Amino acid sequence: MENTQLATPETAKELGLLPEEFSRIKEILGRTPNFTELSIFSVMWSEHCSYKNSITWLKTLPKDGPRMLAKAGEENAGMVDLGDGIACVFKIESHNHPSALEPYQGAATGVGGINRDIFTMGARPIAQLNSLRFGDLSLDRTKWLVKGVVKGIGDYGNAFGIPTVGGELFFDECYNVNPLVNAMSAGIVKVGETVSATSYGVGNPVYIVGSATGKDGIHGAAFASKDITADSVNDLPAVQVGDPFQEKLLLEATLEVIQTGAVVGMQDMGAAGIICSNSEMSAKGEHGMRIDLDKVPMRQENMKPYEILLSESQERMLIVVEKGREEEVQAVFDKWDLNCVEIGQVTDTKRLEYYMNGELVADVPADDLVLGGGAPVYKREYREPAYYKEYQKFSIESVQEPEDLKAVAQHLLSHPNIASKRWVTQQYDSMVGTATMTTNRPCDAAVVSLKGTEKAIVLTVDCNSRYVNADPEKGCMIAVAEAARNITCAGGEPVAITNCLNFGNPYVPEVYWQFVGAIKGMGAACTKFETPVTGGNVSFYNQSTDDGPVFPTPTIGMLGVLDNVDDMMTADFKAEGDFIYLVGESVNDIASSQYLASFHKVAASPAPHFDLETEYATHQVIKQLIKERLIASAHDVADGGLFVTLFESANPNNLGFDIESDDSIRKDAFLFGEAQGRIVVSVKPENQEAFVELMATSETEFNYLGTVTNGSMLVDREQFGNIQDFKPVYDDVLHSILEE
Amino acid sequence: MPLNFNSFVAMKFGVVIFPGSNCDEDVIYVLQEIMQQEVVRLWHKDHDLQGADFIILPGGFSFGDYLRSGAIARFSPIMQEVIQFAAKGGYVMGICNGFQILAEAGLVPGALLHNETRKFICRNVHLKVETTNSLITSALDPSKALKIPVAHGEGNYFADEDTLKKLNDNDQILFRYCDEGGNVKSESNLNGSVQNIAGVCNESRTVFGMMPHPERAADSLLANQDGLGIFESILKVAHA
């Protein structure tokens, strides 16, 4: 295809554009676009870049707050004020589609991309997390995906040198075809030393720095904007290849070049490559650019203009430099042995003009390409799926309580969704940076100290997609609440979230209904917890022709702050004889629990019990207990229910528990139900009186469960076994499945 | 026990920074902030050790380590100076990637192969102190296993029979992987290292290499200070 040949409606269709979108492009240009221009529009107007099917709803989310320095949509990532002149920049992003085809590179480049979003703003990444979802672990393909994704994340993150401090891992057959790979990064920057993704100042030079540009990842953004089919294998060139060593150099060089003060604006090259950074920076700065594509350092010969523009080669940045200060910038990149090439200049035309060997090959207005400018915005229709009402009809009475609850405990502790994730986590360097306070202290959230201050940031990623599937609105509220609960149990104050919205095909009304419900739930919960949504990413089309959509999975990445590291709280029981209490209400509920789903194999049930107001009040009580030093541990009741929570608190120090159940509810619901808003705390005998006094004055329900033992696990005086007996199973389940 | 800084021998440390080093700032933090020592950063392209008394090659992935860990770094300009410095009896310590570079440069015996599991391993391990007859172990208690993290993909120490015999005969083995109680067992050998070896020194006891990261176990904030004794040993701390 010649660069300047006029495009046809057929070509537009092939590039994924709707007929009305093609007409709109002709209107914007006042003529028929050539192939290069059409390619530009097709990627910039793809779902991945334009958020065309989600932005209407995303705009309803709360985004303001006293700590917000960069709100959703303003920069590459959200920025939150931590006090003392320090800010945290954080974001989560998906790399689902590439990981489904090439798990190793797909996951690795996901890590690379999210970190570039952080350091392109001038922040140094200090912690990474990830949220992974795969299909049935007994399938060979799932094992291949798990191994590849984990190795990809590890190899990239470890060499890049930023610790991976937390994450989640969940298996369900709905992810058999479409695994979800969501990567999060958080960085720290001094307030006032950040850089914006903007471009202005006529005549200022435009530089491309970092790796050379190749044909990898062309149309990656468009690839991420369609369902996965048997033909997806033909999209393999749409998967990029990562080089963590280049990324490390780029990080150091980028932070160093910012210190020169010569940088006007900067943006990393991720989805849709050069064209995306050119257009977004130009639109933001209300200027244009004239770019000579032949000056771009290339990995291979004979690259076409559209290939150069759309390439998603990794580890590259676009930098607009103040004219006259080119040498300072060049010196930094020379020091780090990185490419640094002037490819064009800023103009006042507000247009992007691309030349190849002196010939104009594309001329498009910057603003019309981008979200918030001329990119299309759609309101999609949505419809409640039939299953929703069916699920609501579930009653606990329809499930017979098993006689042998020990068998249930064994089933849960050896289930891959519950068991230790160390097979995964030990492949990640979780300690580099020597700030991970949770290495030697088990905790509901990751706590990373900010050296030179008394503060720490507290991070978690959470989403139980089974709940969201059962009830998108309530399920997504729970995801936010669980994240806040984890941060609170670590001693932190929740301050903001980033989200990764993984859904099926938005053109399916039932899928879009899930999306709308989740956004409503997220908005309500984030308003209640005063945690504004700072941005994130939407990943639609996690859907296959045969298996339908994945569970709606709005992953919540939450940032908390711990003003004084001495207030950190841990999840492990400390000593035999300490008292164990349950803060929050026991409910006769097993809906959507791991127990119901995998032991009884019942899928049709609503989301578990949850009340936003009660949940919020409970968190405030926990904060008070921590501040007044009245509890020795705090661990929330989540997947697997109370028994699993007790096990997880007892396990680290080889302790056990001796508890009484509540005879007003079924024992299986008491032990394995997943009613929300509950936290297990342990209390030293000398603090019991003060603890009870504080709790009694609060509105929050609490119950005495029992005491910490030296290893045996007893419920109503019935022996459930010794912690030592369960440990090998719990620790090695993933290893035995994946290394068989 | 509080550190008695008056009893330290003040030293000037030089920490080499290769492209891809990523534990450089961690070790500098321990030396500067916790041990209160002077540290200079030595850039890989330079030829000047800036008068440092003790050189540290930190952990990381020098030059990406795509070929073989440490294989390229050993040829960098600064390494030519480090090799000469070591030849004259200067103190050099390599941690993790630094150990791999020292082995590649022939400054310590043996080689670091891929972990037997073929996987990167990051976790706490226990180390048995095999000798106190070295600068970096002089203040350690051999009866106590040290809990210190590892984080490596290529930490499987290998040396041929003759070299092993020499290492043992000359008391050059500094640390072995052991269990919590200090027992050197095959179960505590996480990466396949021959004879559970985790750290060695050269024959003249001036160049030290170890895979575990003592700088990751030196700050009270991390709730594990088992690694601090190694830095105290270097500075010949007298416990008050």
mmCIF file of all heavy atoms in Angstrom, chain A residues 390-424:
data_model
loop_
_atom_site.group_PDB
_atom_site.id
_atom_site.type_symbol
_atom_site.label_atom_id
_atom_site.label_comp_id
_atom_site.label_asym_id
_atom_site.label_seq_id
_atom_site.Cartn_x
_atom_site.Cartn_y
_atom_site.Cartn_z
ATOM 1 N N GLU A 390 -31.791 -14.516 38.260
ATOM 2 C CA GLU A 390 -31.652 -15.922 38.677
ATOM 3 C C GLU A 390 -30.740 -16.037 39.895
ATOM 4 O O GLU A 390 -31.049 -16.714 40.866
ATOM 5 C CB GLU A 390 -31.048 -16.747 37.523
ATOM 6 C CG GLU A 390 -32.049 -17.236 36.499
ATOM 7 C CD GLU A 390 -33.185 -18.015 37.131
ATOM 8 O OE1 GLU A 390 -32.897 -18.986 37.860
ATOM 9 O OE2 GLU A 390 -34.362 -17.632 36.937
ATOM 10 N N TYR A 391 -29.590 -15.365 39.807
ATOM 11 C CA TYR A 391 -28.602 -15.427 40.890
ATOM 12 C C TYR A 391 -29.184 -14.909 42.198
ATOM 13 O O TYR A 391 -28.862 -15.384 43.276
ATOM 14 C CB TYR A 391 -27.349 -14.619 40.521
ATOM 15 C CG TYR A 391 -26.366 -15.339 39.620
ATOM 16 C CD1 TYR A 391 -26.782 -16.343 38.744
ATOM 17 C CD2 TYR A 391 -25.010 -15.015 39.651
ATOM 18 C CE1 TYR A 391 -25.876 -16.994 37.924
ATOM 19 C CE2 TYR A 391 -24.099 -15.659 38.829
ATOM 20 C CZ TYR A 391 -24.536 -16.642 37.963
ATOM 21 O OH TYR A 391 -23.635 -17.282 37.154
ATOM 22 N N GLN A 392 -30.050 -13.896 42.101
ATOM 23 C CA GLN A 392 -30.615 -13.281 43.311
ATOM 24 C C GLN A 392 -31.532 -14.247 44.060
ATOM 25 O O GLN A 392 -31.774 -14.073 45.250
ATOM 26 C CB GLN A 392 -31.423 -12.020 42.935
ATOM 27 C CG GLN A 392 -30.606 -10.914 42.277
ATOM 28 C CD GLN A 392 -29.631 -10.258 43.232
ATOM 29 O OE1 GLN A 392 -29.932 -10.075 44.412
ATOM 30 N NE2 GLN A 392 -28.452 -9.899 42.741
ATOM 31 N N LYS A 393 -32.046 -15.246 43.336
ATOM 32 C CA LYS A 393 -33.012 -16.163 43.957
ATOM 33 C C LYS A 393 -32.352 -17.150 44.918
ATOM 34 O O LYS A 393 -33.035 -17.876 45.630
ATOM 35 C CB LYS A 393 -33.741 -16.964 42.861
ATOM 36 C CG LYS A 393 -34.726 -16.141 42.055
ATOM 37 C CD LYS A 393 -35.390 -17.028 41.005
ATOM 38 C CE LYS A 393 -36.157 -16.202 39.990
ATOM 39 N NZ LYS A 393 -36.379 -16.973 38.761
ATOM 40 N N PHE A 394 -31.042 -17.202 44.915
ATOM 41 C CA PHE A 394 -30.324 -18.196 45.718
ATOM 42 C C PHE A 394 -30.691 -18.108 47.207
ATOM 43 O O PHE A 394 -30.838 -17.019 47.768
ATOM 44 C CB PHE A 394 -28.820 -17.992 45.561
ATOM 45 C CG PHE A 394 -27.980 -18.796 46.516
ATOM 46 C CD1 PHE A 394 -27.702 -20.129 46.247
ATOM 47 C CD2 PHE A 394 -27.493 -18.234 47.688
ATOM 48 C CE1 PHE A 394 -26.933 -20.872 47.126
ATOM 49 C CE2 PHE A 394 -26.719 -18.986 48.571
ATOM 50 C CZ PHE A 394 -26.442 -20.308 48.296
ATOM 51 N N SER A 395 -30.833 -19.281 47.828
ATOM 52 C CA SER A 395 -31.044 -19.312 49.281
ATOM 53 C C SER A 395 -30.070 -20.310 49.888
ATOM 54 O O SER A 395 -29.822 -21.381 49.313
ATOM 55 C CB SER A 395 -32.476 -19.740 49.572
ATOM 56 O OG SER A 395 -32.537 -20.308 50.867
ATOM 57 N N ILE A 396 -29.532 -19.968 51.034
ATOM 58 C CA ILE A 396 -28.578 -20.859 51.710
ATOM 59 C C ILE A 396 -29.213 -22.208 52.029
ATOM 60 O O ILE A 396 -28.541 -23.231 52.097
ATOM 61 C CB ILE A 396 -28.004 -20.176 52.980
ATOM 62 C CG1 ILE A 396 -26.859 -21.003 53.574
ATOM 63 C CG2 ILE A 396 -29.084 -19.927 54.018
ATOM 64 C CD1 ILE A 396 -26.098 -20.315 54.690
ATOM 65 N N GLU A 397 -30.542 -22.202 52.166
ATOM 66 C CA GLU A 397 -31.258 -23.443 52.491
ATOM 67 C C GLU A 397 -31.129 -24.493 51.389
ATOM 68 O O GLU A 397 -31.273 -25.684 51.635
ATOM 69 C CB GLU A 397 -32.758 -23.166 52.726
ATOM 70 C CG GLU A 397 -33.055 -22.070 53.747
ATOM 71 C CD GLU A 397 -32.325 -22.299 55.068
ATOM 72 O OE1 GLU A 397 -32.130 -23.468 55.427
ATOM 73 O OE2 GLU A 397 -31.935 -21.302 55.710
ATOM 74 N N SER A 398 -30.838 -24.029 50.166
ATOM 75 C CA SER A 398 -30.724 -24.974 49.058
ATOM 76 C C SER A 398 -29.413 -25.765 49.117
ATOM 77 O O SER A 398 -29.214 -26.703 48.346
ATOM 78 C CB SER A 398 -30.814 -24.226 47.721
ATOM 79 O OG SER A 398 -29.702 -23.378 47.579
ATOM 80 N N VAL A 399 -28.532 -25.355 50.008
ATOM 81 C CA VAL A 399 -27.238 -26.037 50.111
ATOM 82 C C VAL A 399 -27.183 -26.766 51.446
ATOM 83 O O VAL A 399 -27.365 -26.156 52.508
ATOM 84 C CB VAL A 399 -26.079 -25.022 50.033
ATOM 85 C CG1 VAL A 399 -24.745 -25.716 50.245
ATOM 86 C CG2 VAL A 399 -26.098 -24.285 48.708
ATOM 87 N N GLN A 400 -26.942 -28.046 51.380
ATOM 88 C CA GLN A 400 -26.854 -28.824 52.613
ATOM 89 C C GLN A 400 -25.512 -28.583 53.300
ATOM 90 O O GLN A 400 -24.456 -28.594 52.666
ATOM 91 C CB GLN A 400 -27.023 -30.305 52.288
ATOM 92 C CG GLN A 400 -26.950 -31.142 53.542
ATOM 93 C CD GLN A 400 -27.719 -32.432 53.405
ATOM 94 O OE1 GLN A 400 -28.093 -32.853 52.308
ATOM 95 N NE2 GLN A 400 -27.990 -33.061 54.531
ATOM 96 N N GLU A 401 -25.554 -28.375 54.594
ATOM 97 C CA GLU A 401 -24.314 -28.164 55.336
ATOM 98 C C GLU A 401 -23.547 -29.480 55.422
ATOM 99 O O GLU A 401 -24.090 -30.488 55.859
ATOM 100 C CB GLU A 401 -24.628 -27.651 56.750
ATOM 101 C CG GLU A 401 -23.364 -27.347 57.523
ATOM 102 C CD GLU A 401 -23.614 -26.648 58.846
ATOM 103 O OE1 GLU A 401 -24.754 -26.213 59.087
ATOM 104 O OE2 GLU A 401 -22.653 -26.526 59.622
ATOM 105 N N PRO A 402 -22.287 -29.505 54.995
ATOM 106 C CA PRO A 402 -21.530 -30.755 55.028
ATOM 107 C C PRO A 402 -21.313 -31.219 56.466
ATOM 108 O O PRO A 402 -21.169 -30.382 57.367
ATOM 109 C CB PRO A 402 -20.192 -30.390 54.383
ATOM 110 C CG PRO A 402 -20.341 -29.023 53.845
ATOM 111 C CD PRO A 402 -21.493 -28.376 54.533
ATOM 112 N N GLU A 403 -21.265 -32.522 56.645
ATOM 113 C CA GLU A 403 -21.025 -33.054 57.996
ATOM 114 C C GLU A 403 -19.588 -32.777 58.421
ATOM 115 O O GLU A 403 -19.318 -32.430 59.557
ATOM 116 C CB GLU A 403 -21.270 -34.555 57.997
ATOM 117 C CG GLU A 403 -22.704 -34.896 57.667
ATOM 118 C CD GLU A 403 -23.241 -36.017 58.531
ATOM 119 O OE1 GLU A 403 -22.421 -36.826 58.997
ATOM 120 O OE2 GLU A 403 -24.478 -36.064 58.714
ATOM 121 N N ASP A 404 -18.671 -32.963 57.456
ATOM 122 C CA ASP A 404 -17.255 -32.854 57.778
ATOM 123 C C ASP A 404 -16.720 -31.484 57.357
ATOM 124 O O ASP A 404 -16.355 -31.284 56.206
ATOM 125 C CB ASP A 404 -16.494 -33.977 57.059
ATOM 126 C CG ASP A 404 -15.027 -33.986 57.430
ATOM 127 O OD1 ASP A 404 -14.623 -33.160 58.300
ATOM 128 O OD2 ASP A 404 -14.280 -34.790 56.849
ATOM 129 N N LEU A 405 -16.686 -30.567 58.297
ATOM 130 C CA LEU A 405 -16.201 -29.223 57.952
ATOM 131 C C LEU A 405 -14.683 -29.176 57.838
ATOM 132 O O LEU A 405 -14.129 -28.267 57.235
ATOM 133 C CB LEU A 405 -16.706 -28.204 58.976
ATOM 134 C CG LEU A 405 -18.229 -27.986 58.961
ATOM 135 C CD1 LEU A 405 -18.645 -26.962 60.003
ATOM 136 C CD2 LEU A 405 -18.720 -27.538 57.582
ATOM 137 N N LYS A 406 -14.019 -30.172 58.412
ATOM 138 C CA LYS A 406 -12.560 -30.239 58.259
ATOM 139 C C LYS A 406 -12.192 -30.464 56.799
ATOM 140 O O LYS A 406 -11.195 -29.936 56.311
ATOM 141 C CB LYS A 406 -11.985 -31.371 59.120
ATOM 142 C CG LYS A 406 -11.842 -30.976 60.572
ATOM 143 C CD LYS A 406 -11.300 -32.113 61.405
ATOM 144 C CE LYS A 406 -12.439 -32.938 61.958
ATOM 145 N NZ LYS A 406 -12.009 -34.013 62.859
ATOM 146 N N ALA A 407 -13.030 -31.254 56.119
ATOM 147 C CA ALA A 407 -12.780 -31.503 54.691
ATOM 148 C C ALA A 407 -12.912 -30.201 53.898
ATOM 149 O O ALA A 407 -12.184 -29.963 52.932
ATOM 150 C CB ALA A 407 -13.749 -32.547 54.165
ATOM 151 N N VAL A 408 -13.845 -29.353 54.330
ATOM 152 C CA VAL A 408 -14.000 -28.065 53.656
ATOM 153 C C VAL A 408 -12.750 -27.208 53.889
ATOM 154 O O VAL A 408 -12.205 -26.596 52.967
ATOM 155 C CB VAL A 408 -15.248 -27.312 54.160
ATOM 156 C CG1 VAL A 408 -15.373 -25.962 53.467
ATOM 157 C CG2 VAL A 408 -16.507 -28.143 53.956
ATOM 158 N N ALA A 409 -12.290 -27.216 55.136
ATOM 159 C CA ALA A 409 -11.086 -26.434 55.461
ATOM 160 C C ALA A 409 -9.910 -26.896 54.610
ATOM 161 O O ALA A 409 -9.164 -26.079 54.054
ATOM 162 C CB ALA A 409 -10.760 -26.566 56.947
ATOM 163 N N GLN A 410 -9.785 -28.224 54.486
ATOM 164 C CA GLN A 410 -8.682 -28.761 53.684
ATOM 165 C C GLN A 410 -8.827 -28.376 52.212
ATOM 166 O O GLN A 410 -7.852 -27.997 51.569
ATOM 167 C CB GLN A 410 -8.640 -30.285 53.811
ATOM 168 C CG GLN A 410 -7.667 -30.699 54.884
ATOM 169 C CD GLN A 410 -7.811 -32.153 55.288
ATOM 170 O OE1 GLN A 410 -8.515 -32.917 54.634
ATOM 171 N NE2 GLN A 410 -7.150 -32.510 56.363
ATOM 172 N N HIS A 411 -10.053 -28.483 51.724
ATOM 173 C CA HIS A 411 -10.319 -28.114 50.335
ATOM 174 C C HIS A 411 -9.913 -26.652 50.078
ATOM 175 O O HIS A 411 -9.235 -26.343 49.089
ATOM 176 C CB HIS A 411 -11.804 -28.306 50.012
ATOM 177 C CG HIS A 411 -12.248 -27.632 48.759
ATOM 178 N ND1 HIS A 411 -12.019 -28.150 47.505
ATOM 179 C CD2 HIS A 411 -12.873 -26.432 48.553
ATOM 180 C CE1 HIS A 411 -12.486 -27.332 46.591
ATOM 181 N NE2 HIS A 411 -13.017 -26.278 47.192
ATOM 182 N N LEU A 412 -10.314 -25.784 50.990
ATOM 183 C CA LEU A 412 -10.047 -24.355 50.771
ATOM 184 C C LEU A 412 -8.558 -24.035 50.870
ATOM 185 O O LEU A 412 -8.011 -23.320 50.031
ATOM 186 C CB LEU A 412 -10.838 -23.505 51.763
ATOM 187 C CG LEU A 412 -12.356 -23.447 51.509
ATOM 188 C CD1 LEU A 412 -13.056 -22.683 52.623
ATOM 189 C CD2 LEU A 412 -12.667 -22.795 50.156
ATOM 190 N N LEU A 413 -7.890 -24.558 51.907
ATOM 191 C CA LEU A 413 -6.478 -24.212 52.092
ATOM 192 C C LEU A 413 -5.599 -24.771 50.983
ATOM 193 O O LEU A 413 -4.490 -24.289 50.766
ATOM 194 C CB LEU A 413 -5.984 -24.706 53.460
ATOM 195 C CG LEU A 413 -6.557 -23.946 54.665
ATOM 196 C CD1 LEU A 413 -6.072 -24.567 55.965
ATOM 197 C CD2 LEU A 413 -6.190 -22.460 54.621
ATOM 198 N N SER A 414 -6.103 -25.777 50.262
ATOM 199 C CA SER A 414 -5.297 -26.305 49.162
ATOM 200 C C SER A 414 -5.818 -25.829 47.805
ATOM 201 O O SER A 414 -5.342 -26.277 46.766
ATOM 202 C CB SER A 414 -5.302 -27.839 49.210
ATOM 203 O OG SER A 414 -6.628 -28.316 49.060
ATOM 204 N N HIS A 415 -6.789 -24.909 47.819
ATOM 205 C CA HIS A 415 -7.298 -24.388 46.547
ATOM 206 C C HIS A 415 -6.356 -23.286 46.038
ATOM 207 O O HIS A 415 -5.956 -22.415 46.807
ATOM 208 C CB HIS A 415 -8.712 -23.821 46.738
ATOM 209 C CG HIS A 415 -9.403 -23.565 45.431
ATOM 210 N ND1 HIS A 415 -9.094 -22.490 44.629
ATOM 211 C CD2 HIS A 415 -10.357 -24.267 44.766
ATOM 212 C CE1 HIS A 415 -9.838 -22.540 43.535
ATOM 213 N NE2 HIS A 415 -10.611 -23.597 43.590
ATOM 214 N N PRO A 416 -6.010 -23.326 44.747
ATOM 215 C CA PRO A 416 -5.069 -22.316 44.226
ATOM 216 C C PRO A 416 -5.504 -20.868 44.482
ATOM 217 O O PRO A 416 -4.652 -19.980 44.574
ATOM 218 C CB PRO A 416 -5.042 -22.609 42.727
ATOM 219 C CG PRO A 416 -5.407 -24.050 42.611
ATOM 220 C CD PRO A 416 -6.370 -24.335 43.736
ATOM 221 N N ASN A 417 -6.807 -20.623 44.609
ATOM 222 C CA ASN A 417 -7.247 -19.251 44.875
ATOM 223 C C ASN A 417 -6.946 -18.813 46.312
ATOM 224 O O ASN A 417 -6.921 -17.622 46.605
ATOM 225 C CB ASN A 417 -8.747 -19.095 44.626
ATOM 226 C CG ASN A 417 -9.055 -19.010 43.143
ATOM 227 O OD1 ASN A 417 -8.142 -18.875 42.331
ATOM 228 N ND2 ASN A 417 -10.332 -19.077 42.800
ATOM 229 N N ILE A 418 -6.763 -19.774 47.204
ATOM 230 C CA ILE A 418 -6.563 -19.455 48.626
ATOM 231 C C ILE A 418 -5.119 -19.708 49.051
ATOM 232 O O ILE A 418 -4.547 -18.931 49.801
ATOM 233 C CB ILE A 418 -7.489 -20.344 49.505
ATOM 234 C CG1 ILE A 418 -8.948 -20.227 49.079
ATOM 235 C CG2 ILE A 418 -7.277 -20.038 50.994
ATOM 236 C CD1 ILE A 418 -9.676 -19.024 49.561
ATOM 237 N N ALA A 419 -4.551 -20.805 48.558
ATOM 238 C CA ALA A 419 -3.237 -21.255 49.029
ATOM 239 C C ALA A 419 -2.158 -20.193 48.795
ATOM 240 O O ALA A 419 -2.357 -19.232 48.051
ATOM 241 C CB ALA A 419 -2.855 -22.555 48.321
ATOM 242 N N SER A 420 -1.036 -20.425 49.443
ATOM 243 C CA SER A 420 0.109 -19.511 49.338
ATOM 244 C C SER A 420 0.480 -19.253 47.887
ATOM 245 O O SER A 420 0.483 -20.165 47.066
ATOM 246 C CB SER A 420 1.307 -20.125 50.053
ATOM 247 O OG SER A 420 2.490 -19.453 49.675
ATOM 248 N N LYS A 421 0.821 -18.008 47.599
ATOM 249 C CA LYS A 421 1.199 -17.634 46.237
ATOM 250 C C LYS A 421 2.719 -17.544 46.096
ATOM 251 O O LYS A 421 3.244 -16.903 45.202
ATOM 252 C CB LYS A 421 0.573 -16.277 45.873
ATOM 253 C CG LYS A 421 -0.936 -16.194 46.101
ATOM 254 C CD LYS A 421 -1.753 -17.110 45.200
ATOM 255 C CE LYS A 421 -3.251 -16.925 45.331
ATOM 256 N NZ LYS A 421 -3.840 -17.555 46.521
ATOM 257 N N ARG A 422 3.430 -18.224 47.027
ATOM 258 C CA ARG A 422 4.880 -18.003 47.022
ATOM 259 C C ARG A 422 5.574 -18.527 45.773
ATOM 260 O O ARG A 422 6.635 -18.035 45.410
ATOM 261 C CB ARG A 422 5.512 -18.570 48.292
ATOM 262 C CG ARG A 422 5.572 -20.072 48.363
ATOM 263 C CD ARG A 422 6.276 -20.523 49.634
ATOM 264 N NE ARG A 422 6.540 -21.942 49.554
ATOM 265 C CZ ARG A 422 7.218 -22.618 50.474
ATOM 266 N NH1 ARG A 422 7.666 -22.005 51.542
ATOM 267 N NH2 ARG A 422 7.429 -23.894 50.331
ATOM 268 N N TRP A 423 4.980 -19.545 45.109
ATOM 269 C CA TRP A 423 5.592 -20.006 43.847
ATOM 270 C C TRP A 423 5.738 -18.824 42.895
ATOM 271 O O TRP A 423 6.698 -18.715 42.141
ATOM 272 C CB TRP A 423 4.718 -21.093 43.196
ATOM 273 C CG TRP A 423 5.309 -21.621 41.915
ATOM 274 C CD1 TRP A 423 6.193 -22.652 41.780
ATOM 275 C CD2 TRP A 423 5.078 -21.120 40.590
ATOM 276 N NE1 TRP A 423 6.514 -22.809 40.451
ATOM 277 C CE2 TRP A 423 5.863 -21.900 39.699
ATOM 278 C CE3 TRP A 423 4.286 -20.089 40.069
ATOM 279 C CZ2 TRP A 423 5.872 -21.677 38.325
ATOM 280 C CZ3 TRP A 423 4.308 -19.870 38.695
ATOM 281 C CH2 TRP A 423 5.094 -20.669 37.828
ATOM 282 N N VAL A 424 4.765 -17.909 42.942
ATOM 283 C CA VAL A 424 4.795 -16.709 42.102
ATOM 284 C C VAL A 424 5.675 -15.638 42.721
ATOM 285 O O VAL A 424 6.597 -15.118 42.083
ATOM 286 C CB VAL A 424 3.360 -16.147 41.916
ATOM 287 C CG1 VAL A 424 3.400 -14.820 41.171
ATOM 288 C CG2 VAL A 424 2.482 -17.156 41.202
#
